[in-house]
Amino acid sequence: ILSVSVEGEDEKICKERITLAPIISEIVEQTKMSISIPTNFRVECPQHLQIYADPFHLKNVLATLTGNAVKYSGKGENTLIRIFATEEKGWSRISVTDNGKGIAKEHLTHIFEKFYRVPQGDIQQARGYGLGLYYAHKVIVLHGGTINAKSHIGQGCEFTILLPGE
């Protein structure tokens, strides 16, 4: 992520056909091992779903989205992170949804900007540099895809990635 913070540097994307379910499972397991709060994960991804992407960068993007979902979902046994993947008309759709505090509408248009962090008042409870979503956006665009976010305050966020079939 830090490498994309240097102006003028483009990441190299090396696409290959990969099966998505094992990647998502790996990210969920890594996330579970790195957190201390009880978090429920629900994964819906066909075992056969293959996408054409750079495995290294895609793993980093999904880890960023999953980590953010956990980070901003608060604490408690009711925390639910849902990862859903499907193929639609030659496109792969991956969404990561949480039931956290959400992002106000006026901030949604800025969250993919470099170094942008949603203001938390005087206290920054969640640490970060504002590079994760910038990196995610950059990688998905380099794949020829899109990433967007929807949110409702107090109900959580949904990040959706669309990637072309080839």
Side-chain angles (χ1 to χ4, degrees):
I1 291 175
L2 290 176
S3 70
V4 299
S5 69
V6 179
E7 290 297 330
E9 292 292 320
D10 283 329
E11 291 297 318
K12 303 275 188 277
I13 299 296
C14 300
K15 295 183 194 179
E16 58 186 76
R17 180 132 321 267
I18 54 176
T19 304
L20 190 56
I23 290 173
I24 292 174
S25 294
E26 178 183 337
I27 294 198
V28 168
E29 290 309 310
Q30 287 174 351
T31 303
K32 284 180 180 179
M33 290 189 316
S34 70
I35 58 176
S36 59
I37 58 174
T39 302
N40 299 300
F41 290 88
R42 182 174 302 141
V43 176
E44 298 175 39
C45 177
Q47 291 298 312
H48 68 276
L49 180 59
Q50 292 193 332
I51 62 173
Y52 192 61
D54 182 306
F56 174 79
H57 289 295
L58 183 65
K59 283 180 188 179
N60 285 336
V61 167
L62 294 176
T64 295
L65 295 179
T66 303
N68 282 355
V70 170
K71 189 186 325 185
Y72 296 106
S73 285
K75 296 173 175 56
E77 293 183 19
N78 293 327
T79 299
L80 175 64
I81 310 301
R82 182 175 177 252
I83 303 171
F84 176 79
T86 188
E87 189 173 25
E88 301 173 0
K89 300 177 184 172
W91 288 79
S92 297
R93 175 187 296 269
I94 306 166
S95 65
V96 178
T97 306
D98 65 62
N99 62 346
K101 57 185 170 181
I103 301 170
K105 204 177 278 189
E106 65 267 19
H107 298 292
L108 276 177
T109 58
H110 301 288
I111 60 173
F112 296 109
E113 294 173 8
K114 189 184 216 178
F115 302 123
Y116 187 82
R117 301 213 45 225
V118 175
Q120 304 288 321
D122 291 338
I123 301 171
Q124 287 285 16
Q125 294 176 348
R127 296 171 36 159
Y129 298 101
L131 293 174
L133 292 177
Y134 169 77
Y135 167 80
H137 180 265
K138 185 171 183 174
V139 167
I140 297 305
V141 168
L142 287 171
H143 276 80
T146 62
I147 181 171
N148 65 57
K150 292 188 287 189
S151 182
H152 298 286
I153 294 296
Q155 297 177 12
C157 294
E158 177 181 14
F159 286 84
T160 302
I161 297 168
L162 284 174
L163 293 172
E166 291 288 329

